[in-house]
Amino acid sequence: MNDIGLVVGADILVEGGVIKEIGTVAERPDCDVFDVSGKIIVPGFVDSHTHLIFAGTREREFAMRAKGKTYGEIAAAGGGIIDTVRKTREMPRSKLRSQAQRRLDKMLKWGTTAVEIKSGYGLDFATEMRILETANELKEQAITDIVVTFLGAHALPPEHANNRENYIRIVIEELIPQIARKNLADFCDVFCDEGFFTTAETEKILKSARDNGLRLKMHADELASNGGVELAAALNVVSVDHLENISAGEIELLAKSETVGVVLPSVAPYIRGKVAPARQMIDSGCALAIASDFNPGTSMVDNMQTVMWLAVSLNQMTVEEALNAATINAAAAVGLSDRLGSIEVGKQADMIILNAEDYSYLPYHFTENIIANVVKNGTVLEFS
Ligand code: NIG
Ligand code: FE
């Protein structure tokens, strides 16, 4: 995690959106040359965990937590995720779409060239499908690479508050098969945590998703340590995300597994919760990614430069670990490390060119966008 594979003074030959050569490339008359001498180039950021499609904001809850209310208390009183669900159910498809596109454009300017998008603010058949269809339209049409995740088990919707079995049945018997048949999601995720879904419920939902051909992710140990990581390792999920309350035993399990741990550094300050022990996890041999968790409740952060700064200053990662965690390991967290996440021959030419003399400037000067150019599929983008 600490080796970024630094190369000094190399040319990069890109053809058809793919990196073909790195090193000394002889000048060719049929090539456009883009001079980056004296600049730093890093891979485009992969934001491997976002709840990008949502309506409204929740600043009042942020203010309530500043006065001592907890995230769990606010959720139990009908706020939290359910507040965003009410607003999202009312938002027409066209607005969901235009708002999401604007969010992606902003992220791209800050260097994020691939984004995972979760559903989970619909929690009924029609709205979950609308969110997933919107995410898939973006996957087809946006410049950004998109990975789509179904998170129907994000919270118990109010109309099923007294009958959780029935909602879980709808997720398993109605939503998952339909989503798989229409190819609307790459992954299925569950919010496995205290006050949300138990490990037994999570196991049932994820096994049915797997049987339907979806790959697996989990939210675990955000609010409490409840055995989520043990289940994640047993199911061999692609990534297990949050981990603020991971136990020593679970760190050992994660280190031995093939699963990527995704740390979301901005969540702890938003919910006044614990900071994920990234240092211990890395020192124990876990592979970690970092992501924004962009959502209106626990992270109004859409910018991987800020996420890197938090990872270094709060989670005690090194700058090199944070850079790997935001790029190659993040690509692994969405199952795309064969194509994204590093500047290597054969990979997609998604790169960011920095106005800085040293890559450490990235997390060091996090309130300023130090990106000179974003290169996506080999094209140097122009921003209006
Ligand atoms: O990752 N933990 C579950 N989902 C989000 C929070 C969603 C919300 O509060 O709206 C998260 O932190
Ligand atoms: Fe999340």
Side-chain angles (χ1 to χ4, degrees), residues 99-117:
Q99 198 184 52
Q101 181 63 67
R102 270 199 306 281
R103 290 174 181 160
L104 288 176
D105 289 344
K106 185 179 166 214
M107 292 162 103
L108 190 61
K109 282 184 194 162
W110 284 83
T112 301
T113 49
V115 175
E116 184 254 15
I117 301 178

Side-chain angles (χ1 to χ4, degrees), residues 238-254:
V238 176
S239 79
V240 60
D241 304 30
H242 275 292
L243 311 174
E244 288 86 348
N245 292 280
I246 191 168
S247 65
E250 285 180 318
I251 292 178
E252 293 307 316
L253 278 178
L254 185 60

Side-chain angles (χ1 to χ4, degrees), residues 49-51 118 151 154 189 219 222 242 264 293 295 298:
H49 181 140
T50 86
H51 305 252
K118 300 179 196 295
L151 178 59
H154 194 194
D189 190 350
H219 279 67
E222 177 182 5
H242 275 292
L264 308 162
D293 197 16
N295 79 79
T298 66

